[in-house]
Amino acid sequence: QVQLVESGGGLVESGGSLRLSCTASGFAYTVGWFRQAPGKAREGVSCINNVDGNPYYADSVKGRFTISRDNANYTVYLQMNSLKPEDTAIYYCAASSVPRALRVYCRGWYDIEYWGKGTPVTVSS
């Protein structure tokens, strides 16, 4: 069983930056960030595996968000720059104990094994 704790959310003005952290209680091969805005479906934002390779980014965040991981501390970060009001959502961390294809995982086509409780991000215009 892996427990996930997110942090780093908050209120920021449009164009600003935030860095989200997801700390796991143990090792997870694949970790992703998802978000859900009020009245909207959950969306995969960015996902990363523990091995070298290109992370996955949703088109809506490419060039603005960067995902990275610190395996020694079981932590995955999401650096969010040039934030827009449409980035406002609850951001959830998800993890898998087995390797997953990132594009498939980030589109929610696998059953998600572990979820965090989420951290809210609000971007004011």
Side-chain angles (χ1 to χ4, degrees), residues 44-107:
V45 175
S46 182
C47 296
I48 190 169
N49 273 328
N50 70 309
V51 296
D52 291 339
N54 294 325
Y56 172 88
Y57 295 98
D59 288 343
S60 56
V61 306
K62 277 182 184 176
R64 300 189 298 122
F65 291 11
T66 302
I67 192 170
S68 61
R69 64 188 294 165
D70 176 357
N71 285 334
N73 293 301
Y74 300 142
T75 300
V76 172
Y77 302 98
L78 185 69
Q79 177 66 44
M80 306 187 297
N81 299 329
S82 302
L83 283 161
K84 306 175 181 180
E86 51 263 44
D87 294 317
T88 295
I90 306 293
Y91 283 70
Y92 298 92
C93 181
S96 171
S97 61
V98 298
R100 296 297 192 187
L102 291 181
R103 180 179 296 272
V104 177
Y105 189 80
C106 237
R107 292 186 175 184

Side-chain angles (χ1 to χ4, degrees), residues 106-125:
C106 237
R107 292 186 175 184
W109 291 347
Y110 289 115
D111 288 337
I112 300 295
E113 221 175 330
Y114 304 110
W115 285 106
K117 293 184 177 180
T119 184
V121 171
T122 303
V123 184
S124 62
S125 57

Side-chain angles (χ1 to χ4, degrees), residues 9-59:
L11 173 64
V12 64
E13 292 184 349
S14 181
S17 298
L18 285 173
R19 189 176 80 156
L20 305 183
S21 299
C22 171
T23 301
S25 60
F27 180 78
Y29 278 99
T30 301
V31 178
W33 285 98
F34 293 76
R35 67 186 181 187
Q36 188 163 21
K40 294 189 176 181
R42 186 178 63 207
E43 173 190 21
V45 175
S46 182
C47 296
I48 190 169
N49 273 328
N50 70 309
V51 296
D52 291 339
N54 294 325
Y56 172 88
Y57 295 98
D59 288 343

